[in-house]
Amino acid sequence: MTTVDILFMTIISLTSAAVIGWGARVLPAEKWQILAAVPGNKRDDGTWAGRNLTYYGVIVASAYTVSVSIFLLLMSSTGASMTAILIMTGLVLVVCVPASKLLAIVVEKKRHTFTVGGASFVGMIVAPWIWYAIREQTGSGTTVTVSMAALAIAYAFGEGFGRLACISFGCCYGRRVADLSPFWQKIFRRFHFTFTGQTKKIAYAHGWDGQPVIPVQLITSVLYIAAGLTGIAFFLNGLAAPAFLIPLMTTQLWRVLSEFLRADFRGEERRLTAYQIMALATIPYAGAVALIFGAPAPFHPDIAAGLKALWRPGVLLSVQLLWLLIFLQTGRSMVTGSRMSFFFHQDRI
């Protein structure tokens, strides 16, 4: 790796560690769930009904933005056309964002929730063929395996940061430490989350606010970011196959294992949940994609060129628009409400 590559890896590693450390420390607290409330209709008692805007939405939108930015950067570093990259990004998002809600309805029978696991499953299924079609039409030299490596890395970072949203909302939570065996209690007696606030999901679904639980979200964040960094290291050394398969296999295997540590509702009770089955199915599918399209000869990505391509006004505006659209999709709370009243300060008139 070049000096620029090492500097890039160092910055992204330190930034990721700082963000995850901050999230683990503050987000379980009650005040980090609701960001703001917007007044709606006035009630008969003189108060106003409010629509809550959540930190969950801010974090999810930011995670999407980070994920897309990493994908754009890595793909641009290989010399792929930015137009082709943006087309693929848009098509994948058009498929995945609605899928995150539709699959939650199908699996969990809930209309007001989202599933990243379901969306990632759909994305990994369609993405190779989307890039293959774009490559055939545009003549881009970047192979399918390289594009999937960039996508797997971007996904690992996106969900790694996205799990911080689950800490804020109190969802995707782990089992109670008190219910574990003595061996596991020793481990998680110091290493746990304690959520506060009656509007957190862990409170209204299980009544476990104020009780230590396994910090599944934090473990997932750390593991996924580590997998993403490992993938970047292989990518920068021009090794597409491990850059693709290592982040993907790590994230999907952990999705299967982590479900056994979680206590929140994940669909009908069965030996394996629908999300675990999706994750397991993704692994051989990814291996088949790598075999079908083959491992390209070692390539030489240029991170500096990728950063330059990312720093174009049109690209930056597109990423900012994505953030806004995702926030409007996920940041307006459907399960919490608020009542507001307004007054003036008599002593300031």
Side-chain angles (χ1 to χ4, degrees), residues 31-114:
K31 72 175 184 177
W32 287 98
Q33 182 179 3
I34 307 299
L35 169 67
V38 179
N41 298 324
K42 194 171 185 178
R43 300 172 181 269
D44 294 337
D45 62 359
T47 63
W48 295 77
R51 168 60 66 87
N52 293 335
L53 304 178
T54 63
Y55 284 105
Y56 178 95
V58 171
I59 297 170
V60 168
S62 300
Y64 265 98
T65 301
V66 168
S67 180
V68 168
S69 297
I70 289 175
F71 179 72
L72 296 178
L73 189 156
L74 294 177
M75 288 291 284
S76 297
S77 74
T78 68
S81 162
M82 180 57 76
T83 300
I85 301 169
L86 289 173
I87 291 172
M88 179 183 181
T89 303
L91 291 175
V92 171
L93 288 174
V94 164
V95 173
C96 290
V97 174
S100 69
K101 190 173 184 68
L102 292 174
L103 284 174
I105 294 174
V106 172
V107 174
E108 302 180 44
K109 306 298 188 293
K110 295 181 179 181
R111 300 187 60 83
H112 302 300
T113 189
F114 303 93

Side-chain angles (χ1 to χ4, degrees), residues 45 52 76 118 130 195 272 344:
D45 62 359
N52 293 335
S76 297
I130 290 176
F195 293 91
L272 291 177
F344 58 86

Side-chain angles (χ1 to χ4, degrees), residues 244-261:
F244 169 35
L245 294 174
I246 290 176
L248 185 134
M249 292 180 67
T250 301
T251 55
Q252 300 310 302
L253 285 174
W254 175 247
R255 178 171 294 281
V256 174
L257 295 174
S258 65
E259 295 269 328
F260 295 114
L261 301 178

Side-chain angles (χ1 to χ4, degrees), residues 1-12 77 232 235-237 300-304:
M1 290 192 291
T2 66
T3 302
V4 174
D5 294 340
I6 295 173
L7 181 61
F8 173 73
M9 287 284 294
T10 301
I11 291 174
I12 198 170
S77 74
I232 288 180
F235 193 93
L236 294 179
N237 281 287
H300 304 286
D302 184 348
I303 284 295

Side-chain angles (χ1 to χ4, degrees), residues 8-317:
F8 173 73
M9 287 284 294
T10 301
I11 291 174
I12 198 170
S13 299
L14 294 177
T15 302
S16 298
V19 170
I20 292 175
W22 168 83
R25 187 175 68 256
V26 306
L27 291 176
E30 182 176 9
K31 72 175 184 177
W32 287 98
Q33 182 179 3
I34 307 299
L35 169 67
V38 179
N41 298 324
K42 194 171 185 178
R43 300 172 181 269
D44 294 337
D45 62 359
T47 63
W48 295 77
R51 168 60 66 87
N52 293 335
L53 304 178
T54 63
Y55 284 105
Y56 178 95
V58 171
I59 297 170
V60 168
S62 300
Y64 265 98
T65 301
V66 168
S67 180
V68 168
S69 297
I70 289 175
F71 179 72
L72 296 178
L73 189 156
L74 294 177
M75 288 291 284
S76 297
S77 74
T78 68
S81 162
M82 180 57 76
T83 300
I85 301 169
L86 289 173
I87 291 172
M88 179 183 181
T89 303
L91 291 175
V92 171
L93 288 174
V94 164
V95 173
C96 290
V97 174
S100 69
K101 190 173 184 68
L102 292 174
L103 284 174
I105 294 174
V106 172
V107 174
E108 302 180 44
K109 306 298 188 293
K110 295 181 179 181
R111 300 187 60 83
H112 302 300
T113 189
F114 303 93
T115 168
V116 176
S120 66
F121 171 73
V122 173
M124 287 296 174
I125 294 296
V126 302
W129 309 104
I130 290 176
W131 183 252
Y132 177 77
I134 292 173
R135 187 171 181 242
E136 289 297 304
Q137 292 296 318
T138 64
S140 172
T142 303
T143 67
V144 170
T145 306
V146 171
S147 71
M148 291 303 295
L151 185 64
I153 293 167
Y155 164 72
F157 275 96
E159 187 160 1
F161 287 123
R163 284 296 164 184
L164 298 179
C166 300
I167 303 175
S168 171
F169 185 55
C171 61
C172 306
Y173 47 90
R175 300 183 183 277
R176 283 194 308 180
V177 174
D179 297 332
L180 302 177
S181 67
F183 173 79
W184 291 109
Q185 282 189 26
K186 284 184 179 180
I187 295 175
F188 291 110
R189 188 171 291 125
R190 294 183 179 180
F191 178 55
H192 62 260
F193 276 153
T194 302
F195 293 91
T196 57
Q198 290 298 308
T199 56
K200 300 257 189 187
K201 185 177 180 180
I202 192 172
Y204 65 75
H206 266 99
W208 288 354
D209 55 310
Q211 300 190 42
V213 295
I214 299 174
V216 177
Q217 308 98 319
L218 177 59
I219 299 171
T220 302
S221 289
V222 172
L223 186 62
Y224 281 26
I225 296 299
L229 289 169
T230 303
I232 288 180
F234 280 108
F235 193 93
L236 294 179
N237 281 287
L239 301 174
F244 169 35
L245 294 174
I246 290 176
L248 185 134
M249 292 180 67
T250 301
T251 55
Q252 300 310 302
L253 285 174
W254 175 247
R255 178 171 294 281
V256 174
L257 295 174
S258 65
E259 295 269 328
F260 295 114
L261 301 178
R262 289 173 58 168
D264 58 320
F265 178 71
R266 307 295 292 155
E268 296 179 5
E269 289 293 332
R270 60 183 71 176
R271 184 167 296 180
L272 291 177
T273 68
Y275 298 122
Q276 287 174 306
I277 294 171
M278 291 179 197
L280 287 172
T282 302
I283 295 172
Y285 182 80
V289 167
L291 287 174
I292 291 170
F293 293 103
F299 57 103
H300 304 286
D302 184 348
I303 284 295
L307 290 169
K308 185 177 180 180
L310 189 62
W311 199 251
R312 296 176 184 173
V315 176
L316 293 176
L317 288 173

